[in-house]
Amino acid sequence: MDPERSSRRRFLIRVAGALAAIEGMILAVPLVGTAIGPSFRKLRLTAFAKVGPVATLPVGQPTEVTFNDVTADAYLSNDAMRHAWAVAKPGGTVTVFSPICPHLGCRYDWDAADHRFACPCHGSQFALDGTVLAGPAPRPLDPLPSEIRDGTLFVRWELFKSGIPTREEV
């Protein structure tokens, strides 16, 4: 075989191999990103959800509110109805608490007779401002991010780890 033709053939084989390797790397990047990407980012992207007018909340009286929580992860969307406790204060401010007890993740309720939040599972009790009054709860009630826009309450749902003394998102 002609040496010039042999070197041309080797050159073309190497160029084709290099192009195939580059194409393989280009295709591998999105595949690897899809496979391991979710472990490096926060999955939930939540927005503030509309709860309702602040004027309907009685001052100093906890009110259980519900709102539609829409979470998005890339092209996937999830709709869930969430519950929370809203406490309107004089001056028009509102504190919103997660309905999940920070001790074991139970759902607590408002005890109107004793004027406190009470967890039926283990006896933790919380004041109107969320501080621990009694029981094994390791921290106060978890407030949810909220804001008031044009007299309407908006809340962003967050989920916190139970059983630890500091508030950490799940």
Side-chain angles (χ1 to χ4, degrees):
M1 192 181 242
D2 179 3
E4 182 179 319
R5 189 175 173 136
S6 174
S7 67
R8 189 178 327 147
R9 179 174 290 180
R10 266 193 309 245
F11 171 75
L12 290 175
I13 290 173
R14 287 183 180 153
V15 168
L19 290 175
I22 291 171
E23 183 179 355
M25 285 188 285
I26 290 172
L27 292 175
V29 169
L31 290 175
V32 170
T34 301
I36 66 170
S39 62
F40 291 108
R41 64 181 162 89
K42 188 175 175 180
L43 292 177
R44 290 177 41 94
L45 301 173
T46 60
F48 279 90
K50 181 178 179 180
V51 175
V54 174
T56 61
L57 299 173
V59 175
Q61 178 68 35
T63 305
E64 188 172 14
V65 295
T66 58
F67 56 95
N68 192 24
D69 176 40
V70 179
T71 58
D73 180 19
Y75 56 88
L76 299 176
S77 180
N78 185 26
D79 250 344
M81 194 58 109
R82 303 288 185 191
H83 297 264
W85 287 98
V87 180
K89 299 176 186 173
T93 61
V94 178
T95 301
V96 180
F97 294 109
S98 168
I100 301 169
C101 181
H103 178 235
L104 294 176
C106 309
R107 186 181 161 108
Y108 63 86
D109 287 310
W110 174 249
D111 184 350
D114 289 336
H115 200 67
R116 59 183 60 180
F117 293 106
C119 183
C121 301
H122 53 80
S124 285
Q125 297 180 1
F126 305 91
L128 189 61
D129 65 355
T131 57
V132 179
L133 297 175
R139 65 175 185 271
L141 295 177
D142 298 316
L144 295 175
S146 63
E147 56 186 44
I148 299 171
R149 299 182 215 145
D150 298 324
T152 303
L153 178 63
F154 289 83
V155 176
R156 188 175 72 223
W157 178 257
E158 290 182 353
L159 189 59
F160 302 98
K161 291 181 183 178
S162 298
I164 58 174
T166 58
R167 184 173 38 249
E168 293 180 26
E169 270 192 83
V170 174

